[in-house]
Amino acid sequence: MRAVGVTEFGGPEALHLVDVPEEHAGPGQVRVRVTAATVNPTDTHAVLGAYASRDPVTQPPWVPGMDAAGVVDEVGDGVEHLAVGDSVMAVVVPSGAHGGYRESLVLPADSVVRSPKGATDAEASTLPMNGLTARLALDQLALQPGQVVAVTGAAGAFGGYVVQLAKADGLTVVADASEADEQLVRDLGADVVVRRGDDVARRIREQFPDGVDGLADGAVLDERVLPAVRDGGRVATVRGYRGDGQDRVTVIPVLVRRVAQDRAALDRLREQAEEGLLTLRVARTFPAEDAAEAHRVLARGGVRGRLVLTF
Ligand SMILES: NC(=O)c1ccc[n+]([C@@H]2O[C@H](COP(=O)([O-])OP(=O)(O)OC[C@H]3O[C@@H](n4cnc5c(N)ncnc54)[C@H](OP(=O)(O)O)[C@@H]3O)[C@@H](O)[C@H]2O)c1
């Protein structure tokens, strides 16, 4: 079976096609013939070996990739919600050779749901991981309709879904954007857009002098965003920040792997995409064998929408 992985950790050039053994769906699992796998920022860290010490698998190859879409081709015992031939999207928690970048992938059935109607596989593949992360971030912020949430990195995949889910939750959204991204972020539904940058907290405070109730930090600005948040407010962080300011605001780390088998949440994301509440954004597709080039493009920054590998 074709996969894209690394046998030695390194930069994008470390990625190459690898051969992995065929596997079959056991009880509670499904097998997906993957046609589309997203390239996420975390994959670049995986390729560098940043997660190797916590991976129970110590033998190469390591296959990155945290979400995928394709067609179910095997269903294990006890799985009721999917059938062979269904078009599906899935969230993947990579370990060893089990990452999204492979043409055939056995997964817990609760990590796999039907793709949104009308979406291409590439479009569907952009939703599970970042959609679930955005949902978890908002759930952990625990805001009520009418409260204000700020979003940094709003033009990105995670930030964009936070903006759209927050609007669907009835929140007021203030989001950051470069001048070039301002219309994009407004189109996603942000009520107020402020210029992105290190002083984004000051700009948010200018708009909301009492501070916002919660903030989702997709741009990973860490302590620089804290002044935007009111006393007693919450900040959802996506890269493990646990820094200062916790006496005044609560900093909450968001870890998508905690919800990787939350099928109800995945299915709700599918419904919201079908209702037009979530926009599935593909920047560009690459044949799987060009994964190294996809990683180079991601590393250069400025990508809007997701890069997707096709198998
Ligand atoms: N903890 C988890 O479970 C989890 C799950 C999903 C994602 N994440 C993390 O969440 C972060 C966002 O992911 P993503 O997929 O949304 O990435 P993305 O699509 O690349 O979006 C990040 C956005 O932030 C912008 N940005 C970068 N530096 C900035 C700055 N200094 N000020 C303002 N904006 C800035 C980027 O703009 P440019 O392109 O112009 O740089 C981009 O628009 C990543 O660090 C990712 O690893 C964590």
Side-chain angles (χ1 to χ4, degrees):
M1 289 282 153
R2 271 185 335 143
V4 175
V6 295
T7 41
E8 282 182 41
F9 297 116
E13 68 289 345
L15 280 165
H16 56 94
L17 286 176
V18 293
D19 193 25
V20 291
E22 182 176 7
E23 294 179 347
H24 296 282
Q29 297 178 322
V30 295
R31 191 174 76 175
V32 180
R33 167 67 182 93
V34 173
T35 57
T38 54
V39 176
N40 283 285
T42 190
D43 304 349
T44 63
H45 299 273
V47 170
L48 286 166
Y51 309 130
S53 63
R54 72 175 189 215
D55 192 336
V57 180
T58 54
Q59 295 299 313
W62 289 275
V63 173
M66 290 198 70
D67 39 21
V71 178
V72 173
D73 70 354
E74 277 186 13
V75 176
D77 287 347
V79 178
E80 306 284 340
H81 70 287
L82 292 169
V84 169
D86 284 348
S87 287
V88 290
M89 58 181 185
V91 61
V92 185
V93 177
S95 174
H98 286 268
Y101 298 5
R102 50 186 286 162
E103 66 182 335
S104 180
L105 189 54
V106 172
L107 289 165
D110 285 342
S111 296
V112 186
V113 298
R114 280 187 293 113
S115 291
K117 280 191 195 71
T120 64
D121 286 354
E123 287 167 342
S125 72
T126 66
L127 181 57
M129 199 276 282
N130 284 289
L132 276 182
T133 311
R135 183 67 265 160
L136 180 60
L138 284 166
D139 289 347
Q140 294 192 169
L141 292 176
L143 303 175
Q144 300 303 314
Q147 286 193 295
V148 181
V149 66
V151 186
T152 68
F158 165 77
Y161 286 141
V162 175
V163 170
Q164 292 192 304
L165 290 173
K167 286 311 298 171
D169 287 353
L171 303 178
T172 296
V173 177
V174 51
D176 73 346
S178 65
E179 196 175 346
D181 287 330
E182 181 155 347
Q183 194 57 47
L184 164 70
V185 172
R186 280 194 197 288
D187 290 346
L188 290 170
D191 299 287
V192 177
V193 179
V194 297
R195 193 63 70 239
R196 68 178 251 183
D198 284 353
D199 57 353
V200 70
R202 182 178 57 75
R203 296 177 207 272
I204 294 170
R205 272 276 176 176
E206 280 169 11
Q207 300 291 325
F208 297 92
D210 296 336
V212 296
D213 300 298
L215 185 145
D217 188 21
V220 193
L221 297 173
D222 293 343
E223 74 278 3
R224 286 167 286 179
V225 298
L226 300 185
V229 182
R230 68 164 167 80
D231 289 358
R234 294 177 171 204
V235 176
T237 66
V238 284
R239 281 225 155 263
Y241 170 70
R242 290 177 174 77
D244 295 337
Q246 296 192 33
D247 50 342
R248 203 182 62 78
V249 306
T250 306
V251 177
I252 309 169
V254 175
L255 264 185
V256 70
R257 56 182 64 214
R258 283 185 40 207
V259 289
Q261 294 187 45
D262 188 341
R263 172 155 59 97
L266 269 178
D267 230 14
R268 179 73 191 122
L269 291 169
R270 173 187 59 74
E271 284 172 3
Q272 289 183 303
E274 289 176 350
E275 289 161 10
L277 297 173
L278 294 174
T279 312
L280 310 180
R281 296 181 289 149
V282 176
R284 193 173 151 189
T285 61
F286 294 81
E289 56 270 28
D290 294 341
E293 178 58 11
H295 274 232
R296 281 186 207 101
V297 170
L298 183 65
R300 286 201 286 272
V303 175
R304 295 295 172 261
R306 201 86 292 175
L307 304 174
V308 178
L309 304 181
T310 56
F311 285 87

